[in-house]
């Protein structure tokens, strides 16, 4: 056993880092391999890897410049005393602004009594563009009577409205806000407001038996752009842009699961539903089932935008089908035809057979998007129980949510 943790991560080297998408894809999904070296770290399929990233250097540089801070200034942080550059790079989340900071503006602009004119062009969550030069248009989150060139009035209108703050933050980072209101903070004041940098979790996409000494991930890189500046996710950009090219080590630790596990009995059938990056743990499950050599059948539902550009692990999957290790492989390519086809549509199409598998004791696993996909798949399972199990809606809901999920623990989810 090793005692690596989020507070004491193992500094691992990335040995492989490549894009899984085909040319012309709208996405950037990467396969990333970490060397566990002499760490003694172990894992089982279903576990997640914790990754500790850093802020992009260009954001830290721009922040120092906008505020006129000296990078060498020594500051106290939750990780001890460090120079300001290191604190901004490694200890706090400075790539996206938080609500506390917006609230602090009220005091800042009132105490400085400033007047500015708005000049930023921004985009709201629904993609609608707002420009200050258009006198009819308003920034997202501001009602007509709240629009003002007066920063005091603008901040007051903003801080009283939680939804407006959320919309405002969606398109702006600290640098945008500091420029917009021309406010200055001392390093200590700013670090008091900024969030501590948190590790991100990733479902492990490999079996340790199949890849001794390595751990592998399937990562969707988060990138977007506002006000002509490229933005994105802290950890995914770090793995894609900084670590990929520098060869520098990156802090990792294991986050074991107690529940998202394979059935103990290797003759039990399993159904796995993992669109997009949701495929990650099922690559690991398949590797483990092949390694263990049990009798249980494996059925994988996978999908993403297009077979041409998002068929992740195509050769590996085809190999499992050829060898008979994958009994069934069902795809849902959402954008390869006029109407959207999602995994839940495929589940319903195969409802009769899925119900047979359930009656035979099969486990059902789901991984990927929590907000929409997992809820729709849940509803599809209830309708399968109604249609093919001859149950009322109430009984079907009870069967899926209580019997399968809570009592028998054979409907298992890894959703985010
Ligand atoms: C148990 C678990 C397993 C997971 N497994 C995986 C996995 O296998 N693969 C994987 O890729 N991810 C996985 N995730 C998600 C992962 O942990 C991170 O949340 C994800 O990679 C984003 O992290 P980040 O640091 O790059 O982005 P962050 O810096 O955390 O930023 C993400 C935030 O950016 C904001 N944002 C996103 N798009 C926009 C936009 N267009 N405009 C404005 N703001 C925007 C949103 O507020 C969003 O919450 C998993 C999560 C959990 C909890
Ligand atoms: N919590 C976080 O910080 C975080 C960070 C990054 C990603 N995520 C989540 O992780 C998910 C995985 O991203 P990903 O790029 O791998 O895949 P994804 O965006 O989930 O897309 C995978 C497939 O699912 C389809 N889909 C969209 N809505 C669906 C629905 N309601 N039901 C079923 N399928 C649906 C997509 O189709 P279309 O695109 O054609 O509609 C696509 O074909 C994202 O959706 C995101 O919500 C969370």
């Amino acid at each position: 056993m090793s005692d690596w943790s989020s507070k004491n991560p193992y500094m691992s080297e990335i040995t492989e880092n490549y894009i899984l998408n085909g040319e012309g894809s709208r996405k950037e999904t990467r396969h990333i391999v970490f060397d566990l070296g002499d760490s003694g770290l172990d894992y089982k399929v279903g576990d997640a890897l914790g990754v500790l990233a850093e802020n992009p250097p260009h954001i830290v540089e721009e922040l120092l410049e906008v505020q006129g801070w000296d990078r060498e200034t020594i500051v106290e942080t939750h990780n001890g005393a460090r120079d300001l550059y290191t604190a901004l790079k490694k200890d706090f989340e400075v790539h996206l602004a938080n609500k506390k900071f917006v609230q602090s503006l009220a005091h800042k602009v009132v105490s400085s009594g400033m007047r500015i004119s708005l000049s930023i062009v921004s985009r709201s969550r629904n993609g609608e563009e707002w420009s200050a030069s258009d006198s009819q248009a308003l920034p997202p989150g501001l009602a007509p009577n709240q629009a003002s060139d007066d920063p005091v009035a603008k901040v007051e209108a903003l801080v009283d409205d939680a939804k407006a703050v959320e919309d405002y933050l969606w398109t702006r980072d600290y640098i945008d806000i500091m420029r917009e209101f021309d406010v200055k903070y001392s390093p200590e004041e700013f670090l008091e407001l900024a969030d501590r940098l948190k590790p991100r979790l990733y479902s492990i996409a490999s079996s340790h038996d199949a890849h001794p000494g390595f751990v592998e991930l399937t990562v969707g890189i988060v990138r977007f752009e506002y006000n002509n500046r490229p933005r994105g996710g802290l950890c995914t950009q770090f793995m894609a842009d900084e670590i990929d090219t520098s060869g520098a080590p990156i802090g990792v630790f294991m986050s074991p699961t107690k529940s998202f596990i394979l059935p103990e009995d290797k003759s039990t059938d399993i159904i796995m539903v993992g669109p997009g990056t949701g495929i990650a743990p099922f690559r690991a499950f398949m590797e483990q089932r092949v390694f263990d050599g049990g009798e249980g059948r494996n059925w994988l539902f996978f999908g993403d935008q297009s077979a041409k550009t998002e068929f992740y692990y195509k050769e590996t999957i085809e190999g499992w089908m050829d060898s008979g290790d994958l009994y069934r492989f069902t795809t849902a390519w959402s954008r390869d035809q006029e109407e959207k086809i999602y995994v839940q549509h495929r589940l319903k199409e195969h409802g009769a057979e899925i119900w047979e598998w359930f009656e035979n004791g099969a486990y059902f696993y789901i991984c990927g998007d929590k907000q929409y996909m997992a809820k729709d798949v849940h509803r599809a399972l209830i309708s399968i129980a109604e249609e093919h199990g001859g149950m009322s809606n109430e009984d079907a809901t009870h069967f899926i949510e209580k019997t399968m999920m809570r009592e028998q623990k054979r409907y298992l989810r890894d959703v985010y």
Side-chain angles (χ1 to χ4, degrees), residues 42-45 205-216 283-292 316 320:
D42 192 12
Y43 63 90
K44 65 182 180 304
V45 297
S206 54
S207 146
H208 208 184
D209 287 322
H211 305 269
F214 295 90
V215 59
E216 313 196 350
R283 178 179 182 266
F285 277 21
M286 279 304 302
E287 288 185 347
Q288 194 64 46
R289 296 272 278 191
V290 172
F291 183 89
D292 291 346
T316 311
W320 288 325

Side-chain angles (χ1 to χ4, degrees), residues 29 48 53 93 95-96 125 169-172 198-205 217-226 231-239 255 277-278 280-281 367 414-416:
T29 303
E93 308 237 345
H95 70 306
L96 296 173
R125 263 168 190 245
L169 286 173
W170 188 251
T171 56
R172 295 164 177 89
K198 293 175 298 298
R200 273 44 170 183
L201 294 180
Y202 294 90
S203 313
I204 291 175
L217 305 181
T218 312
V219 180
I221 309 303
V222 179
R223 296 191 197 275
F224 45 96
E225 192 177 308
Y226 292 114
R231 325 275 166 108
L234 177 96
C235 191
T236 55
Q237 284 195 126
F238 185 65
M239 290 192 280
S255 175
T277 52
C367 179
D414 175 20
V415 293
Y416 45 87

